[in-house]
Amino acid sequence: MILSVLSSPALVSGLMVARAKNLVHSVLFPILVFRNTSGLLLLLGLDFSAMIFPVVQIGAIAVSFLFVVMMFHIQIAEIHEEVLRYLPVSGIIGLIFWWEMFFILDNETIPLLPNQRNTTSLRYTIYVVKVRSWTNLETLGNLLYTYYSV
Amino acid sequence: MYIAVPAEILGIILPLLLGVAFLVLAERKVMAFVQRRKGPDVVGSFGLLQPLADGLKLILKEPISPSSANFSLFRMAPVATFMLSLVAWAVVPFDYGMVLSDSNIGLLYLFAISSLGVYGIITAGRSSNSKYAFLGALRSAAQMVSYEVSIGLILITVLICVGPRNSSEIVMAQKQIWSGIPLFPVLVMFLISCLAETNRAPFDLPEAEAELVAGYNVEYSSMGSALFFLGEYANMILMSGPCTSLSPGGWPPILDLPIFKKIPGSIWFSIKVILFLFLYIWVRAAFPRYRYDQLMGLGRKVFLPLSLARVVPVSGVLVTFQWLP
């Protein structure tokens, strides 16, 4: 239930970025997107990434966008006319993006996807976590600075 | 479980609101005594009912908003500021285990909340539809963002010495010696950066009354201004809370004597927080205000290199002598 409470505002806010009439609103909607995405990351159990999102994205990136939008008076009234002209090409690109998103999913019922693998439904306890449980930050650092350090 | 958590939340927020109200009074009285006069002492005995009178006045006052202000953003900005300063109290430890949420990323959560605090100010200034408010808001936001970087680096310095632990354990790791004593310059820099972050004391040009017509909250009256005011003081207490838990050791008493252990840890925490708040008010009464270019120059040209210059040797020493926790 919490998943739908967090993910649907994320999608709606993402849509409203492009559709908002007021320019300042269309820079404030990514803030909602980042906030909901941070909540989704928390649901996945990635606490470090979920806290980095407000710090980096909302606190720095969106602030920079907000400064640009607020200090330069950009007129966007002309952009909203004649949008339907671009529908064929942009529709095809949008459909391709939409189809690519399903590569990540594990669902066997979606056709034309290469990831229909047989997964078992056994559950087993991972005992190594109970002996020494690594924090999120430790696992990231363990890989970042040794294996991926170049 | 479902009753305990809201009860804990109320148990943090209600005393915090009372504390903020009396902090306003305390500031006026302390500044008054520094300036050799008495503060408000007419309303109660020693002026103790003054916050009540102030709150009543602000609630009953007529809210006036500019007619061409962006309505939803205008109403939301003080609410957002106040909410953010309350929400961050979820990770401040008052005693061993007495945290609302004892997680490993508690300090990072505090840092995230102070990053979000910039937005209340920007939206307040922008939606007031007034050039003075807008400029004050942008200057204030730029100042907050600059000093946040040095706060983050100083937090990293202290966290390297402690290791990746949750909020209570970070305080417990100072059992041998308080972090503020070997890392004393770091404590001083952290205090100054917190002053600049909350737009306080010598760094409050964006809300200076003489120069810029009170900055970003010029168009707010009654509840809006009250919420900004309360949010600023709650932010002040918030910044001094983790400051005391990181540096001069949060709740364990000063010496390990059994007579000191009888007093509960949260009382020691409160005593230390009150000492830091007194320091805040003292600094406000004692020092003149920085000009804006001096302020930003200090943040970017002095504190940022200095905090970097603390992270690098501390981590170097720890890695060399294998003293990493």
Side-chain angles (χ1 to χ4, degrees):
Chain A
M1 200 266 292
I2 301 183
L3 180 66
S4 53
V5 162
L6 282 176
S7 60
S8 37
L11 289 173
V12 168
S13 311
L15 200 63
M16 288 302 293
V17 173
R19 295 295 306 161
K21 291 283 179 349
N22 193 356
L23 193 57
V24 174
H25 285 171
S26 115
V27 175
L28 288 181
F29 277 115
I31 298 175
L32 283 179
V33 173
F34 293 143
R35 186 166 257 216
N36 291 316
T37 314
S38 170
L40 284 171
L41 284 173
L42 273 176
L43 280 178
L44 280 174
L46 305 170
D47 49 3
F48 181 67
S49 310
M51 284 303 133
I52 287 293
F53 255 66
V55 175
V56 171
Q57 311 261 29
I58 309 183
I61 294 179
V63 166
S64 315
F65 273 98
L66 209 59
F67 265 70
V68 167
V69 157
M70 284 179 175
M71 291 204 282
F72 305 115
H73 294 284
I74 304 172
Q75 307 292 330
I76 59 161
E78 305 92 33
I79 302 179
H80 277 305
E81 320 171 80
E82 295 192 20
V83 157
L84 284 179
R85 228 171 7 121
Y86 301 109
L87 191 57
V89 181
S90 66
I92 294 175
I93 297 179
L95 277 176
I96 293 178
F97 273 129
W98 180 254
W99 180 69
E100 277 185 12
M101 262 197 331
F102 289 105
F103 275 99
I104 311 174
L105 294 177
D106 248 352
N107 211 343
E108 287 96 18
T109 62
I110 303 175
L112 294 178
L113 287 178
N115 56 354
Q116 300 173 12
R117 45 184 179 263
N118 299 325
T119 57
T120 63
S121 56
L122 284 175
R123 289 168 158 249
Y124 51 93
T125 318
I126 304 174
Y127 282 101
V128 67
V129 175
K130 294 190 193 293
V131 172
R132 152 108 163 103
S133 86
W134 290 67
T135 62
N136 229 335
L137 190 51
E138 280 180 334
T139 53
L140 270 177
N142 207 17
L143 282 177
L144 261 177
Y145 292 108
T146 55
Y147 186 61
Y148 292 102
S149 67
V150 177
Chain B
M1 207 257 312
Y2 293 111
I3 303 182
V5 170
E8 285 175 12
I9 295 177
L10 276 178
I12 292 181
I13 290 185
L14 287 179
L16 175 66
L17 290 178
L18 270 179
V20 166
F22 282 100
L23 179 64
V24 175
L25 174 67
E27 171 178 12
R28 289 167 70 175
K29 284 198 83 78
V30 168
M31 278 180 67
F33 277 105
V34 168
Q35 296 164 355
R36 297 191 60 165
R37 56 186 170 93
K38 282 197 276 205
D41 63 345
V42 173
V43 186
S45 68
F46 299 114
L48 283 175
L49 289 180
Q50 180 75 32
L52 196 64
D54 279 341
L56 207 59
K57 176 204 90 167
L58 284 172
I59 291 174
L60 295 176
K61 215 166 138 173
E62 173 190 356
I64 303 177
S65 58
S67 60
S68 50
N70 201 350
F71 187 69
S72 54
L73 283 178
F74 187 75
R75 290 279 157 227
M76 274 294 299
V79 172
T81 308
F82 192 51
M83 178 196 78
L84 286 171
S85 49
L86 288 181
V87 150
W89 278 88
V91 292
V92 173
F94 298 100
D95 202 345
Y96 189 68
M98 233 199 244
V99 196
L100 190 57
S101 137
D102 211 2
S103 70
N104 285 321
I105 46 166
L107 269 178
L108 195 55
Y109 174 78
L110 271 174
F111 192 50
I113 297 289
S114 59
S115 297
L116 291 178
V118 184
Y119 277 104
I121 295 184
I122 293 184
T123 49
R126 175 67 164 89
S127 57
S128 296
N129 209 12
S130 144
K131 294 282 187 292
Y132 292 115
F134 188 42
L135 278 176
L138 283 181
R139 278 152 64 132
S140 177
Q143 169 192 335
M144 284 176 80
V145 162
S146 313
Y147 282 90
E148 241 162 46
V149 180
S150 94
I151 283 183
L153 287 171
I154 291 171
L155 284 178
I156 288 176
T157 309
V158 176
L159 273 181
I160 288 178
C161 303
V162 169
R165 309 196 199 182
N166 47 9
S167 314
S168 337
E169 293 290 333
I170 290 181
V171 183
M172 285 304 289
Q174 303 177 46
K175 238 178 143 63
Q176 259 190 332
I177 186 168
W178 289 344
S179 293
I181 297 179
L183 291 175
F184 186 66
V186 173
L187 174 63
V188 170
M189 283 198 295
F190 188 62
L191 276 176
I192 300 178
S193 303
C194 284
L195 279 176
E197 167 81 15
T198 56
N199 281 335
R200 261 311 275 192
F203 303 105
D204 59 352
L205 191 65
E207 44 180 60
E209 280 144 282
E211 273 99 334
L212 205 55
V213 199
Y216 57 91
N217 49 6
V218 64
E219 297 284 349
Y220 286 92
S221 58
S222 93
M223 264 333 265
S225 141
L227 279 179
F228 267 123
F229 206 49
L230 289 178
E232 176 187 331
Y233 283 94
N235 234 343
M236 216 166 95
I237 309 184
L238 172 70
M239 283 295 165
S240 38
C243 192
T244 71
S245 62
L246 279 183
S247 306
W251 67 76
I254 301 181
L255 299 166
D256 233 350
L257 300 176
I259 186 169
F260 281 163
K261 284 215 176 97
K262 289 265 175 53
I263 310 177
S266 40
I267 304 277
W268 283 108
F269 183 77
S270 319
I271 292 178
K272 291 175 186 171
V273 168
I274 290 175
L275 278 175
F276 273 97
L277 287 172
F278 180 70
L279 197 68
Y280 268 61
I281 303 174
W282 191 6
V283 166
R284 179 177 183 181
F287 292 113
R289 186 176 280 143
Y290 273 89
R291 215 174 53 226
Y292 190 68
D293 59 332
Q294 291 169 336
L295 199 159
M296 294 298 287
L298 194 66
R300 293 284 184 180
K301 290 194 266 189
V302 173
F303 277 107
L304 183 57
L306 270 180
S307 355
L308 270 177
R310 295 303 300 191
V311 171
V312 174
V314 166
S315 50
V317 160
L318 287 177
V319 167
T320 309
F321 295 109
Q322 303 282 329
W323 284 338
L324 280 172

